[in-house]
Every structure is written in structure tokens, then in C-alpha cells.
């Protein structure tokens, strides 16, 4: 039953995202892609995944299949807390530093026990994303405590 509730809730959230995306005013002028394009894309992707989840949750169980184990709340709550902490640390600590720590924390919650590997991968992904947005696309991200000289 909990799988059904979670999948139906995710579908409801996807519909809210789509409804809110349609409320964004269309960009005028000569813009090829307006400001609502990305939120619509995200909402549509969420809706597709949610519909698949709802269908799977409500279809008949396969013969000989096990019982629904339900939601494992401990990792869910830890991930929500980690995300909240990430949002709180993003501006004061800086994008690439907070993102590296966020990656390591999420990997830990999901079962990884290789701290050095997680730090290296998290750092590389965070730096690559930071450099792409900040330097290439010109979208300013919080530099934080340690500014990059690149």
C-alpha cells in the first residue's frame, strides 16, 4: 500500500510542477527557448516516471512474488535531511565545496563505504559542474570559502 501512496503522491507533485510551469509567462522577443521550457521538460519527465510508477504499483502482483516491503523510511529521511543541509550550506560554504560534501553524504546513505573514492568523484563532478555553469555559461554560482583561481 505504501508504494501506491508514494507513486500517487509523486504523480500529484508532477502535476503541480506542470501546472506551475504553464503559469510562467512566455518569453517575448526573439528567444528560441522561453523561460518555461525547462520547467515544462522537468514536469513532463516527472509525470512520465510517475505514471510508470503508478501503473507498476497498481498492477496485479506476479505469481510467486514476495510481499511489498514498503518504504524504507530511514534512508528517505536521511536523504531529505542531507538535501536540507546542502541547501543551507550552499551559499555560505560555496557550490563546489557543498556539492562535494553532499555527494559523499548521499553515497554514504545509499551504502557506499569508500570515502576516498566518493570524495574524488564528488569533487570532480562538483568542479566540472561549477566550471561549466560559472565559466562557460556565465551563470554565477556561490564561490564559497575557497575561490577557484581557474
Amino acid at each position: 500500500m505504501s508504494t501506491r501512496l508514494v507513486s500517487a503522491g509523486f504523480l500529484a507533485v508532477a502535476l503541480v510542477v506542470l501546472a506551475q510551469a504553464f503559469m510562467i509567462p512566455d518569453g517575448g522577443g526573439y528567444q528560441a527557448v522561453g523561460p518555461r521550457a525547462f520547467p515544462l521538460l522537468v514536469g513532463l519527465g516527472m509525470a512520465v516516471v510517475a505514471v510508470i510508477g503508478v501503473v507498476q504499483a497498481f498492477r496485479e502482483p506476479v505469481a510467486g512474488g514476495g510481499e511489498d516491503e514498503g518504504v524504507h523510511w530511514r534512508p528517505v529521511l536521511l536523504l531529505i535531511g542531507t538535501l536540507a543541509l546542502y541547501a543551507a550550506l550552499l551559499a555560505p560554504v560555496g557550490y563546489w565545496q557543498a556539492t562535494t560534501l553532499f555527494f559523499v553524504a548521499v553515497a554514504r546513505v545509499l551504502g557506499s563505504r569508500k570515502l576516498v573514492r566518493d570524495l574524488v568523484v564528488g569533487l570532480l563532478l562538483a568542479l566540472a559542474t561549477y566550471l561549466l555553469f560559472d565559466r562557460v555559461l556565465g551563470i554565477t554560482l556561490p564561490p564559497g570559502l575557497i575561490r577557484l583561481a581557474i
Side-chain angles (χ1 to χ4, degrees):
M1 183 56 132
S2 61
T3 305
R4 292 178 179 175
L5 290 174
V6 170
S7 60
F10 190 66
L11 179 58
V13 170
L15 294 176
V16 168
V17 169
L18 281 172
Q20 292 295 314
F22 278 112
M23 295 174 99
I24 297 172
D26 204 13
Y30 298 102
Q31 294 177 341
V33 177
R36 79 165 71 151
F38 186 72
L40 281 174
L41 183 64
V42 169
L44 184 62
M46 286 177 65
V48 167
V49 170
V51 167
I52 292 170
V54 168
V55 168
Q56 287 180 346
F58 282 93
R59 73 175 187 206
E60 292 295 321
V62 179
E67 289 255 337
D68 183 13
E69 294 180 18
V71 178
H72 299 277
W73 287 107
R74 184 176 187 276
V76 171
L77 294 174
L78 284 172
L79 289 173
I80 290 171
T82 303
L83 185 59
L85 184 63
Y86 174 64
L89 291 177
L90 190 59
V93 174
Y95 175 81
W96 66 270
Q97 299 96 324
T99 302
T100 301
L101 296 174
F102 177 68
F103 183 88
V104 172
V106 168
R108 273 314 254 198
V109 169
L110 296 177
S112 176
R113 296 295 171 246
K114 300 189 179 199
L115 183 62
V116 174
R117 180 197 62 189
D118 296 340
L119 274 168
V120 169
V121 172
L123 180 63
L124 290 175
L125 289 173
L127 286 174
T129 307
Y130 178 81
L131 293 172
L132 173 69
F133 278 87
D134 198 67
R135 302 299 198 269
V136 177
L137 298 176
I139 299 171
T140 305
L141 296 173
L145 302 172
I146 304 171
R147 298 180 186 275
L148 293 177
I150 301 173

PDB file of all heavy atoms in Angstrom, residues 68-93:
ATOM      1  N   ASP A  68       5.001  -6.755  -0.673  1.00  0.00           N
ATOM      2  CA  ASP A  68       5.534  -5.412  -0.795  1.00  0.00           C
ATOM      3  C   ASP A  68       6.221  -5.052   0.522  1.00  0.00           C
ATOM      4  O   ASP A  68       5.607  -5.077   1.580  1.00  0.00           O
ATOM      5  CB  ASP A  68       4.386  -4.439  -1.090  1.00  0.00           C
ATOM      6  CG  ASP A  68       4.881  -3.029  -1.312  1.00  0.00           C
ATOM      7  OD1 ASP A  68       6.098  -2.842  -1.486  1.00  0.00           O
ATOM      8  OD2 ASP A  68       4.041  -2.117  -1.323  1.00  0.00           O
ATOM      9  N   GLU A  69       7.495  -4.727   0.436  1.00  0.00           N
ATOM     10  CA  GLU A  69       8.258  -4.421   1.647  1.00  0.00           C
ATOM     11  C   GLU A  69       7.949  -3.038   2.183  1.00  0.00           C
ATOM     12  O   GLU A  69       8.279  -2.718   3.312  1.00  0.00           O
ATOM     13  CB  GLU A  69       9.756  -4.542   1.364  1.00  0.00           C
ATOM     14  CG  GLU A  69      10.199  -5.951   1.055  1.00  0.00           C
ATOM     15  CD  GLU A  69      11.690  -5.995   0.787  1.00  0.00           C
ATOM     16  OE1 GLU A  69      12.396  -5.044   1.168  1.00  0.00           O
ATOM     17  OE2 GLU A  69      12.141  -6.972   0.201  1.00  0.00           O
ATOM     18  N   GLY A  70       7.333  -2.201   1.382  1.00  0.00           N
ATOM     19  CA  GLY A  70       7.039  -0.855   1.826  1.00  0.00           C
ATOM     20  C   GLY A  70       8.223   0.068   1.657  1.00  0.00           C
ATOM     21  O   GLY A  70       9.246  -0.277   1.087  1.00  0.00           O
ATOM     22  N   VAL A  71       8.071   1.246   2.175  1.00  0.00           N
ATOM     23  CA  VAL A  71       9.105   2.271   2.058  1.00  0.00           C
ATOM     24  C   VAL A  71      10.076   2.130   3.217  1.00  0.00           C
ATOM     25  O   VAL A  71       9.670   1.977   4.362  1.00  0.00           O
ATOM     26  CB  VAL A  71       8.464   3.672   2.067  1.00  0.00           C
ATOM     27  CG1 VAL A  71       9.523   4.750   1.985  1.00  0.00           C
ATOM     28  CG2 VAL A  71       7.463   3.820   0.929  1.00  0.00           C
ATOM     29  N   HIS A  72      11.349   2.186   2.918  1.00  0.00           N
ATOM     30  CA  HIS A  72      12.388   2.182   3.949  1.00  0.00           C
ATOM     31  C   HIS A  72      12.593   3.638   4.353  1.00  0.00           C
ATOM     32  O   HIS A  72      13.290   4.397   3.677  1.00  0.00           O
ATOM     33  CB  HIS A  72      13.680   1.563   3.417  1.00  0.00           C
ATOM     34  CG  HIS A  72      13.515   0.139   3.000  1.00  0.00           C
ATOM     35  ND1 HIS A  72      13.578  -0.901   3.889  1.00  0.00           N
ATOM     36  CD2 HIS A  72      13.253  -0.417   1.795  1.00  0.00           C
ATOM     37  CE1 HIS A  72      13.391  -2.038   3.259  1.00  0.00           C
ATOM     38  NE2 HIS A  72      13.179  -1.768   1.982  1.00  0.00           N
ATOM     39  N   TRP A  73      11.982   4.046   5.463  1.00  0.00           N
ATOM     40  CA  TRP A  73      11.931   5.446   5.830  1.00  0.00           C
ATOM     41  C   TRP A  73      13.254   6.010   6.296  1.00  0.00           C
ATOM     42  O   TRP A  73      13.513   7.200   6.128  1.00  0.00           O
ATOM     43  CB  TRP A  73      10.853   5.669   6.896  1.00  0.00           C
ATOM     44  CG  TRP A  73       9.497   5.558   6.297  1.00  0.00           C
ATOM     45  CD1 TRP A  73       8.609   4.544   6.456  1.00  0.00           C
ATOM     46  CD2 TRP A  73       8.872   6.476   5.396  1.00  0.00           C
ATOM     47  NE1 TRP A  73       7.477   4.761   5.717  1.00  0.00           N
ATOM     48  CE2 TRP A  73       7.613   5.952   5.057  1.00  0.00           C
ATOM     49  CE3 TRP A  73       9.257   7.689   4.839  1.00  0.00           C
ATOM     50  CZ2 TRP A  73       6.742   6.606   4.193  1.00  0.00           C
ATOM     51  CZ3 TRP A  73       8.382   8.339   3.986  1.00  0.00           C
ATOM     52  CH2 TRP A  73       7.149   7.795   3.678  1.00  0.00           C
ATOM     53  N   ARG A  74      14.111   5.216   6.880  1.00  0.00           N
ATOM     54  CA  ARG A  74      15.368   5.752   7.398  1.00  0.00           C
ATOM     55  C   ARG A  74      16.208   6.401   6.294  1.00  0.00           C
ATOM     56  O   ARG A  74      16.606   7.563   6.429  1.00  0.00           O
ATOM     57  CB  ARG A  74      16.156   4.661   8.127  1.00  0.00           C
ATOM     58  CG  ARG A  74      17.422   5.188   8.771  1.00  0.00           C
ATOM     59  CD  ARG A  74      18.142   4.088   9.575  1.00  0.00           C
ATOM     60  NE  ARG A  74      19.259   4.617  10.311  1.00  0.00           N
ATOM     61  CZ  ARG A  74      20.474   4.797   9.810  1.00  0.00           C
ATOM     62  NH1 ARG A  74      20.725   4.459   8.564  1.00  0.00           N
ATOM     63  NH2 ARG A  74      21.444   5.288  10.544  1.00  0.00           N
ATOM     64  N   PRO A  75      16.487   5.703   5.171  1.00  0.00           N
ATOM     65  CA  PRO A  75      17.266   6.365   4.120  1.00  0.00           C
ATOM     66  C   PRO A  75      16.530   7.557   3.495  1.00  0.00           C
ATOM     67  O   PRO A  75      17.162   8.556   3.152  1.00  0.00           O
ATOM     68  CB  PRO A  75      17.494   5.281   3.066  1.00  0.00           C
ATOM     69  CG  PRO A  75      17.051   4.013   3.658  1.00  0.00           C
ATOM     70  CD  PRO A  75      16.280   4.293   4.881  1.00  0.00           C
ATOM     71  N   VAL A  76      15.222   7.459   3.380  1.00  0.00           N
ATOM     72  CA  VAL A  76      14.453   8.573   2.817  1.00  0.00           C
ATOM     73  C   VAL A  76      14.609   9.814   3.694  1.00  0.00           C
ATOM     74  O   VAL A  76      14.892  10.908   3.200  1.00  0.00           O
ATOM     75  CB  VAL A  76      12.967   8.189   2.660  1.00  0.00           C
ATOM     76  CG1 VAL A  76      12.121   9.395   2.296  1.00  0.00           C
ATOM     77  CG2 VAL A  76      12.796   7.083   1.631  1.00  0.00           C
ATOM     78  N   LEU A  77      14.441   9.645   4.995  1.00  0.00           N
ATOM     79  CA  LEU A  77      14.563  10.774   5.909  1.00  0.00           C
ATOM     80  C   LEU A  77      15.999  11.310   5.960  1.00  0.00           C
ATOM     81  O   LEU A  77      16.209  12.530   6.041  1.00  0.00           O
ATOM     82  CB  LEU A  77      14.079  10.382   7.301  1.00  0.00           C
ATOM     83  CG  LEU A  77      12.580  10.061   7.393  1.00  0.00           C
ATOM     84  CD1 LEU A  77      12.233   9.551   8.784  1.00  0.00           C
ATOM     85  CD2 LEU A  77      11.737  11.254   7.007  1.00  0.00           C
ATOM     86  N   LEU A  78      16.973  10.414   5.904  1.00  0.00           N
ATOM     87  CA  LEU A  78      18.373  10.859   5.883  1.00  0.00           C
ATOM     88  C   LEU A  78      18.673  11.656   4.612  1.00  0.00           C
ATOM     89  O   LEU A  78      19.388  12.666   4.656  1.00  0.00           O
ATOM     90  CB  LEU A  78      19.319   9.666   5.994  1.00  0.00           C
ATOM     91  CG  LEU A  78      19.444   9.047   7.380  1.00  0.00           C
ATOM     92  CD1 LEU A  78      20.254   7.759   7.320  1.00  0.00           C
ATOM     93  CD2 LEU A  78      20.088  10.029   8.347  1.00  0.00           C
ATOM     94  N   LEU A  79      18.129  11.222   3.476  1.00  0.00           N
ATOM     95  CA  LEU A  79      18.347  11.946   2.227  1.00  0.00           C
ATOM     96  C   LEU A  79      17.665  13.310   2.253  1.00  0.00           C
ATOM     97  O   LEU A  79      18.221  14.300   1.769  1.00  0.00           O
ATOM     98  CB  LEU A  79      17.865  11.124   1.032  1.00  0.00           C
ATOM     99  CG  LEU A  79      18.716   9.911   0.699  1.00  0.00           C
ATOM    100  CD1 LEU A  79      18.065   9.079  -0.386  1.00  0.00           C
ATOM    101  CD2 LEU A  79      20.112  10.326   0.275  1.00  0.00           C
ATOM    102  N   ILE A  80      16.479  13.379   2.819  1.00  0.00           N
ATOM    103  CA  ILE A  80      15.791  14.666   2.936  1.00  0.00           C
ATOM    104  C   ILE A  80      16.592  15.609   3.839  1.00  0.00           C
ATOM    105  O   ILE A  80      16.778  16.784   3.528  1.00  0.00           O
ATOM    106  CB  ILE A  80      14.353  14.469   3.462  1.00  0.00           C
ATOM    107  CG1 ILE A  80      13.506  13.789   2.384  1.00  0.00           C
ATOM    108  CG2 ILE A  80      13.733  15.801   3.873  1.00  0.00           C
ATOM    109  CD1 ILE A  80      12.142  13.349   2.863  1.00  0.00           C
ATOM    110  N   GLY A  81      17.085  15.092   4.952  1.00  0.00           N
ATOM    111  CA  GLY A  81      17.913  15.900   5.846  1.00  0.00           C
ATOM    112  C   GLY A  81      19.200  16.348   5.177  1.00  0.00           C
ATOM    113  O   GLY A  81      19.633  17.495   5.346  1.00  0.00           O
ATOM    114  N   THR A  82      19.811  15.452   4.413  1.00  0.00           N
ATOM    115  CA  THR A  82      21.039  15.792   3.694  1.00  0.00           C
ATOM    116  C   THR A  82      20.773  16.889   2.672  1.00  0.00           C
ATOM    117  O   THR A  82      21.573  17.823   2.527  1.00  0.00           O
ATOM    118  CB  THR A  82      21.606  14.533   2.998  1.00  0.00           C
ATOM    119  OG1 THR A  82      21.823  13.519   3.973  1.00  0.00           O
ATOM    120  CG2 THR A  82      22.906  14.830   2.285  1.00  0.00           C
ATOM    121  N   LEU A  83      19.658  16.788   1.967  1.00  0.00           N
ATOM    122  CA  LEU A  83      19.301  17.808   0.986  1.00  0.00           C
ATOM    123  C   LEU A  83      19.039  19.159   1.660  1.00  0.00           C
ATOM    124  O   LEU A  83      19.472  20.205   1.159  1.00  0.00           O
ATOM    125  CB  LEU A  83      18.069  17.373   0.185  1.00  0.00           C
ATOM    126  CG  LEU A  83      17.641  18.283  -0.951  1.00  0.00           C
ATOM    127  CD1 LEU A  83      18.757  18.438  -1.971  1.00  0.00           C
ATOM    128  CD2 LEU A  83      16.395  17.731  -1.609  1.00  0.00           C
ATOM    129  N   ALA A  84      18.374  19.149   2.807  1.00  0.00           N
ATOM    130  CA  ALA A  84      18.124  20.389   3.547  1.00  0.00           C
ATOM    131  C   ALA A  84      19.434  21.011   4.015  1.00  0.00           C
ATOM    132  O   ALA A  84      19.629  22.235   3.921  1.00  0.00           O
ATOM    133  CB  ALA A  84      17.198  20.120   4.728  1.00  0.00           C
ATOM    134  N   LEU A  85      20.344  20.189   4.514  1.00  0.00           N
ATOM    135  CA  LEU A  85      21.650  20.690   4.943  1.00  0.00           C
ATOM    136  C   LEU A  85      22.439  21.253   3.760  1.00  0.00           C
ATOM    137  O   LEU A  85      23.088  22.298   3.872  1.00  0.00           O
ATOM    138  CB  LEU A  85      22.439  19.568   5.630  1.00  0.00           C
ATOM    139  CG  LEU A  85      23.784  19.959   6.218  1.00  0.00           C
ATOM    140  CD1 LEU A  85      23.608  20.991   7.323  1.00  0.00           C
ATOM    141  CD2 LEU A  85      24.492  18.722   6.763  1.00  0.00           C
ATOM    142  N   TYR A  86      22.359  20.594   2.619  1.00  0.00           N
ATOM    143  CA  TYR A  86      23.014  21.066   1.396  1.00  0.00           C
ATOM    144  C   TYR A  86      22.490  22.451   1.012  1.00  0.00           C
ATOM    145  O   TYR A  86      23.270  23.354   0.711  1.00  0.00           O
ATOM    146  CB  TYR A  86      22.791  20.065   0.268  1.00  0.00           C
ATOM    147  CG  TYR A  86      23.295  20.505  -1.083  1.00  0.00           C
ATOM    148  CD1 TYR A  86      24.647  20.727  -1.312  1.00  0.00           C
ATOM    149  CD2 TYR A  86      22.426  20.675  -2.150  1.00  0.00           C
ATOM    150  CE1 TYR A  86      25.111  21.107  -2.558  1.00  0.00           C
ATOM    151  CE2 TYR A  86      22.877  21.056  -3.391  1.00  0.00           C
ATOM    152  CZ  TYR A  86      24.223  21.272  -3.602  1.00  0.00           C
ATOM    153  OH  TYR A  86      24.676  21.648  -4.834  1.00  0.00           O
ATOM    154  N   ALA A  87      21.176  22.616   1.056  1.00  0.00           N
ATOM    155  CA  ALA A  87      20.576  23.913   0.712  1.00  0.00           C
ATOM    156  C   ALA A  87      21.033  24.994   1.684  1.00  0.00           C
ATOM    157  O   ALA A  87      21.278  26.139   1.284  1.00  0.00           O
ATOM    158  CB  ALA A  87      19.054  23.794   0.712  1.00  0.00           C
ATOM    159  N   ALA A  88      21.167  24.642   2.960  1.00  0.00           N
ATOM    160  CA  ALA A  88      21.597  25.615   3.960  1.00  0.00           C
ATOM    161  C   ALA A  88      23.076  25.980   3.805  1.00  0.00           C
ATOM    162  O   ALA A  88      23.467  27.121   4.059  1.00  0.00           O
ATOM    163  CB  ALA A  88      21.341  25.074   5.362  1.00  0.00           C
ATOM    164  N   LEU A  89      23.902  25.031   3.387  1.00  0.00           N
ATOM    165  CA  LEU A  89      25.342  25.265   3.275  1.00  0.00           C
ATOM    166  C   LEU A  89      25.769  25.848   1.932  1.00  0.00           C
ATOM    167  O   LEU A  89      26.886  26.346   1.807  1.00  0.00           O
ATOM    168  CB  LEU A  89      26.105  23.959   3.503  1.00  0.00           C
ATOM    169  CG  LEU A  89      26.083  23.379   4.904  1.00  0.00           C
ATOM    170  CD1 LEU A  89      26.824  22.045   4.937  1.00  0.00           C
ATOM    171  CD2 LEU A  89      26.679  24.347   5.902  1.00  0.00           C
ATOM    172  N   LEU A  90      24.904  25.791   0.937  1.00  0.00           N
ATOM    173  CA  LEU A  90      25.287  26.157  -0.427  1.00  0.00           C
ATOM    174  C   LEU A  90      25.866  27.570  -0.525  1.00  0.00           C
ATOM    175  O   LEU A  90      26.961  27.750  -1.051  1.00  0.00           O
ATOM    176  CB  LEU A  90      24.079  26.017  -1.352  1.00  0.00           C
ATOM    177  CG  LEU A  90      24.353  26.120  -2.841  1.00  0.00           C
ATOM    178  CD1 LEU A  90      25.347  25.057  -3.275  1.00  0.00           C
ATOM    179  CD2 LEU A  90      23.066  25.963  -3.612  1.00  0.00           C
ATOM    180  N   ALA A  91      25.180  28.550  -0.026  1.00  0.00           N
ATOM    181  CA  ALA A  91      25.668  29.931  -0.146  1.00  0.00           C
ATOM    182  C   ALA A  91      26.868  30.218   0.757  1.00  0.00           C
ATOM    183  O   ALA A  91      27.877  30.752   0.285  1.00  0.00           O
ATOM    184  CB  ALA A  91      24.534  30.915   0.129  1.00  0.00           C
ATOM    185  N   PRO A  92      26.824  29.882   2.047  1.00  0.00           N
ATOM    186  CA  PRO A  92      27.971  30.246   2.886  1.00  0.00           C
ATOM    187  C   PRO A  92      29.236  29.430   2.612  1.00  0.00           C
ATOM    188  O   PRO A  92      30.340  29.955   2.700  1.00  0.00           O
ATOM    189  CB  PRO A  92      27.477  30.000   4.316  1.00  0.00           C
ATOM    190  CG  PRO A  92      26.310  29.116   4.212  1.00  0.00           C
ATOM    191  CD  PRO A  92      25.726  29.331   2.850  1.00  0.00           C
ATOM    192  N   VAL A  93      29.085  28.169   2.268  1.00  0.00           N
ATOM    193  CA  VAL A  93      30.255  27.306   2.058  1.00  0.00           C
ATOM    194  C   VAL A  93      30.738  27.375   0.614  1.00  0.00           C
ATOM    195  O   VAL A  93      31.926  27.332   0.345  1.00  0.00           O
ATOM    196  CB  VAL A  93      29.944  25.851   2.466  1.00  0.00           C
ATOM    197  CG1 VAL A  93      31.079  24.922   2.134  1.00  0.00           C
ATOM    198  CG2 VAL A  93      29.627  25.789   3.945  1.00  0.00           C
TER     199      VAL A  93
END
